[in-house]
Structures are given as C-alpha cells and as structure tokens.
Amino acid sequence: MARRKSKEKKIYVLDTNILLHEPFAFLNFQEHDVVIPMTVLEELDHIKDRNKDVSRDARVAIRALEDVLKDASPDQMLQGVPVPRQGEQKQGGHLIIVNDHHITDEIPGLPGGENDHLIINTALYLQKEKSPTKVILVTKDINMRLKAKGAGLKLVEDYRTDQLIDDVRFLYKGYYKFSGDFWSQVGECRSENEGRETYHYVNRSVLPNAYINEYLIDEAEGFAGKVVAITDKEIRILDFGYERLMHRHAWGIHPKNVYQAMAMQALMDPNIDLVVLTGPAGCGKTLIALAAALELVIEKGMYDKVIVTRNTPEIAESIGFLPGTEEEKMAPWLAAITDSLEVLHKTDEHPHASVNYIMEKANIQFKSVNFMRGRSIQNAIVILDECQNLSAAQLKTIITRCGEGTKLICSGNLSQIDSNYLTAVTSGLTYIVERFKNFEGSATINLNGVVRSRLASFAETNL
C-alpha cells in the first residue's frame, strides 16, 4: 500500500491476512475506497473461535468493521460507507462489502472454490467494472500476489503502512563506528567531569543523525562512548574509555568483542528499561543477557526475579495439553536458557546442582507468551528470546505488561524467522528497534560476529 497521498482515487481490495496482521488496517487508506470481499468476512468468522492468538486479531477486526457498518443499510454497504477520517485527513474513503460469491468467474484457469481465488476474482471483476479507476489487491501472501498478476490483475501490493524500513540492511544498529580515529574527526570539543564520569560536547554536524543512547566507537579502537543528550547545536557524549568498556564483566563473563561490551554496558545500566539485542546465531545474545540478569538479581539485588519467555513454534499459540506445569512445558522451547546456565557454571564442582541452585536463588521463571496478556510484572528482569517471530502487536502486549522497576531484554536473529506471517522488515523485532531508537530509556545493539566457534562462524557466512 502506498504511503503517499494521491489525488487520484483508488480502490483497494484487502485479503484476510491484512486484517489479521493489523485489524484496523482498513482505516489507513486515506481518501481511497476499501473493498472487503464476503470471503474475507467468512475467513475471519472461521478463525475467530479458534484457540489461537490470531483469533483475537480476527475478533478485533470484526468488531472494528462492525463499528463502521452497524448503522448502514444493505444498499449502503454495497455502495460504500464513509470511513472515519484519521488525524488531519480532510477526506476519507469508503468501506465497501462485496458479495463475491455472485461474481462471474473471471479466472477460469484456477479452481473456483479456493478462497484466495475468490478474492483475486473479485479484484479482477472490479478492475473491469470500475475502469479506469485503479484497483489494487493488498495481501501479505507472496504466492497470492504472483497468482493475481498471472491471472491478469495489473496492481498488487504488500501492506506497508506499518513497515518502517524497506530493507533490513538499513535497520538501526544502535552504534556508530567512525572510520579511523574518533578525535581526528571531532575537531574542537569541550569536556567536563562529573564525579568519576567524563562528558564531551561535540558539534552536531559531527553526527547529524545521532540518537539517544547510541554507542560510538572507532576503527582505531581508541574511543568508546555513548550519546546521552542531543540539542540543535551539539551532542553530549559519555566517555567510557575503550579499554574500560572491554573490561566490563557480569557473572564471570567478559566480552569477546566491542559489540558484546556495548551490550553488557546497556544491560547493566539501571537507567535503561529496554535493551534490544540483534545479531546472528552464536554472537552471544542469550548468554550475555542471562549473565547480566543473574548479576543484577543475585549480586546487586536490584531486581526480584528473572522471567524468561519466548514464542512457541505455533506463533505463541498453545503450549499443549500434556501433563506438567507451565515451566515444564516451556522447558524444551527454552533450552537455550538452560544451555547458557550450564555454560556459566560448567567449572563448578557440581554444575547440575549449581544450575538448580541459581534458578531457585534468582527466582528464574519460564513463562509462555500466551499467558503474558493481562499481567503486571513488577521489579523483574524479563528476557524475551527469539522475538523475531513475534508481531508488533504481540511485542506491544509484552512491553505493556512491564510495570514499575522492570527491565525488558529482547533478543532475536532476523535471518531466522519461522513465522508464516512475518518477514524481516515486518517482524516485531524490527518494529521496536525503529520505534524505540530515540527513546531515552532504551538501547539497541547489533552484535556483529559469531563467537560460538569457527564452525558456526563459517556456516553463518558461507551457507
């Protein structure tokens, strides 16, 4: 869906997956008309009663449609009901319900009974009947977009209103690396000491696109700092010192590269409420997050417990009906956490006993994302692992559960998305990285480089 306003009115035909992805999507098409085929309503009806998280989105979409259409007559629904205007929008489009079961088959080469084909057929019918008005099918199903074009539909698009970037390569990394030496590029600056900390004030032109809590390093490995304040004229930088940053540690773990060091600094900073760790498999995201959590809970006593959660393979839907507690059912999906605990205590005299003791001492709880809705988590560290498979709505649910004194750590690898509904640019992980990059209570670090083993490093770059 195009983001820019156009004087030429268009007709957008929505697929079911658009309303499941964003239940209020039909309100975001500015002055253009939106068509919902009857087949889409039937699919929403079949989905709404399932014991799935996506069923909630279906119910929300149905209620949102009903709010717009509740006072409309059958004729008005077919002609179009005005859509409520959004923000400063002067003119809104119309919402139209089309009974696609009565439309003559426009694509005889495809089976008529499949829902996708019925929706494509509706778009083709409107393309012919409403010419020269442009008719655009909007769907997140790549194969459906290909079939629609093959069937003769001229305009087919993905839904991109909530897509903050077009290419994941341009995703905010959380740090800026100066080429060469930092000081040679800064020029004049003034510095001041506040207790044990040193701050530098540099001209805004040195880093015009700086963000709060953005880390700064250089290729010469002589400087490491963080942006702590931004004005129209200058940037305030907290100087860590490269060597001091590299010598940070948590629960006996020392960083193996500067990216892990920056991540550790963000994790241990009590002023940071949200830490987002991205990067390839084997870069140490889970291990560093868990080590920092144990340090903050047990050694420093800043938090009461550690809650570990992640989505299960069925898009965070069900954890099954077999006997066992929630922790026991979630244990297989959280093996990465138990593996990391074993690594942290492998040198102990009785590693297995140490792991059990630490889990009890730190009050580590394994929870399902499915049961996070409605909770209010106070004074805890929440580790959300593998969150690249969560949608923006699911991540919002978890973030809004965090109460006073809670720190949230989100980690994920955008090249390992298993969800059928998401891509790297539409993942909830990408969404929160971009949305929170200028929030003073958050920090993002992209951990470059695989440190697990030379085998994992070779596989990451060559397979």
Side-chain angles (χ1 to χ4, degrees):
M1 188 197 81
R3 298 181 189 175
R4 296 179 180 176
K5 290 189 177 182
S6 173
K7 294 181 180 179
E8 179 186 3
K9 196 155 189 172
K10 303 172 184 176
I11 298 174
Y12 288 93
V13 181
L14 303 194
D15 188 15
T16 311
N17 53 43
I18 301 301
L19 295 175
L20 295 177
H21 176 75
E22 187 178 331
F24 296 96
F26 65 93
L27 300 174
N28 296 331
F29 288 80
Q30 299 167 355
E31 74 274 16
H32 306 295
D33 292 340
V34 175
V35 170
I36 307 291
M38 196 71 73
T39 299
V40 170
L41 296 179
E42 292 173 354
E43 287 193 321
L44 290 175
D45 188 52
H46 291 148
I47 294 170
K48 69 179 175 63
D49 293 326
R50 299 177 187 174
N51 188 25
K52 303 269 186 180
D53 195 64
V54 73
S55 301
R56 172 185 171 274
D57 296 321
R59 292 191 293 270
V60 172
I62 291 169
R63 286 194 292 268
L65 290 169
E66 202 267 342
D67 286 342
V68 176
L69 301 171
K70 60 184 177 182
D71 297 324
S73 66
D75 288 339
Q76 289 174 325
M77 291 176 65
L78 295 174
Q79 294 298 320
V81 177
V83 174
R85 289 178 294 180
Q86 302 294 301
E88 300 178 356
Q89 185 178 325
K90 296 181 179 179
Q91 180 183 358
H94 292 79
L95 177 63
I96 305 167
I97 303 297
V98 173
N99 189 349
D100 51 332
H101 296 287
H102 295 309
I103 295 176
T104 305
D105 193 1
E106 299 286 337
I107 43 175
L110 293 174
E114 288 196 22
N115 289 340
D116 284 0
H117 299 164
L118 290 172
I119 297 170
I120 294 172
N121 191 57
T122 300
L124 287 169
Y125 169 80
L126 293 172
Q127 180 178 264
K128 183 174 70 174
E129 293 294 317
K130 301 295 183 178
S131 180
T133 302
K134 291 181 179 180
V135 176
I136 304 164
L137 174 64
V138 185
T139 176
K140 300 199 74 64
D141 186 335
I142 298 175
N143 196 49
M144 186 175 177
R145 295 202 293 266
L146 294 174
K147 287 194 290 186
K149 286 185 178 180
L153 193 61
K154 296 177 182 178
L155 298 171
V156 185
E157 294 183 4
D158 189 6
Y159 181 75
R160 300 193 299 271
T161 293
D162 62 340
Q163 185 174 312
L164 302 178
I165 58 173
D166 295 320
D167 192 329
V168 74
R169 290 177 298 177
F170 303 120
L171 182 66
Y172 176 60
K173 291 182 172 61
Y175 64 87
Y176 183 83
K177 191 171 188 177
F178 289 89
S179 57
D181 178 63
F182 170 77
W183 295 109
S184 64
Q185 299 186 40
V186 168
E188 292 185 4
C189 81
R190 60 187 177 90
S191 302
E192 64 179 27
N193 295 321
E194 292 184 10
R196 299 175 60 186
E197 306 293 356
T198 301
Y199 294 90
H200 306 294
Y201 294 83
V202 302
N203 193 288
R204 181 71 187 269
S205 61
V206 174
L207 201 63
N209 297 319
Y211 295 99
I212 294 292
N213 293 328
E214 182 174 14
Y215 289 81
L216 306 176
I217 54 176
D218 61 10
E219 289 181 345
E221 298 184 356
F223 179 83
K226 181 172 71 173
V227 176
V228 293
I230 302 173
T231 66
D232 293 335
K233 296 182 179 180
E234 60 185 9
I235 300 172
R236 189 184 194 212
I237 300 171
L238 171 60
D239 191 341
F240 294 133
Y242 192 91
E243 290 300 322
R244 283 190 292 121
L245 182 66
M246 289 299 297
H247 280 86
R248 290 180 178 269
H249 60 88
W251 206 249
I253 294 295
H254 291 78
K256 291 189 175 182
N257 55 41
V258 70
Y259 309 106
Q260 289 189 353
M262 290 186 290
M264 193 167 288
Q265 196 283 328
L267 290 165
M268 299 298 292
D269 189 339
N271 297 315
I272 302 296
D273 302 320
L274 170 66
V275 180
V276 185
L277 303 178
T278 64
C283 64
K285 301 184 296 293
T286 304
L287 184 66
I288 293 175
L290 187 59
L294 294 177
E295 183 79 16
L296 292 170
V297 172
I298 297 177
E299 290 296 325
K300 296 186 180 296
M302 296 173 60
Y303 301 92
D304 297 333
K305 58 187 174 182
V306 179
I307 296 177
V308 184
T309 184
R310 60 160 287 184
N311 69 305
T312 49
E314 297 177 359
I315 322 301
E317 311 297 1
S318 168
I319 58 172
F321 298 95
L322 294 175
T325 64
E326 182 182 357
E327 277 86 0
E328 289 171 341
K329 290 180 179 181
M330 287 300 297
W333 312 122
L334 293 167
I337 301 297
T338 52
D339 289 346
S340 297
L341 278 172
E342 291 172 0
V343 170
L344 292 173
H345 296 276
K346 65 181 180 180
T347 58
D348 293 1
E349 187 175 350
H350 301 288
H352 183 71
S354 295
V355 169
N356 291 335
Y357 173 76
I358 291 301
M359 287 183 65
E360 183 176 346
K361 180 79 171 175
N363 194 11
I364 298 178
Q365 303 174 13
F366 290 166
K367 298 295 179 183
S368 169
V369 169
N370 213 37
F371 299 141
M372 294 294 283
R373 183 176 285 116
R375 295 191 63 182
S376 181
I377 303 169
Q378 308 289 334
N379 206 44
I381 292 181
V382 179
I383 299 177
L384 179 56
D385 203 22
E386 299 291 326
C387 65
Q388 73 274 7
N389 288 314
L390 293 175
S391 67
Q394 288 172 321
L395 267 174
K396 181 180 177 180
T397 296
I398 297 169
I399 292 173
T400 55
R401 296 305 95 210
C402 295
E404 190 71 27
T406 290
K407 190 185 192 85
L408 176 62
I409 304 170
C410 296
S411 66
N413 178 7
L414 288 169
S415 65
Q416 293 186 345
I417 293 179
D418 302 316
S419 170
N420 296 326
Y421 302 96
L422 300 172
T423 63
V425 293
T426 60
S427 167
L429 181 61
T430 299
Y431 196 78
I432 64 168
V433 167
E434 290 296 312
R435 282 296 189 197
F436 283 88
K437 64 185 179 184
N438 210 21
F439 172 55
E440 62 181 10
S442 72
T444 295
I445 297 295
N446 177 252
L447 283 79
N448 281 333
V450 178
V451 296
R452 180 178 291 163
S453 68
R454 63 178 182 178
L455 174 61
S457 182
F458 181 85
E460 185 67 30
T461 55
N462 293 279
L463 294 183

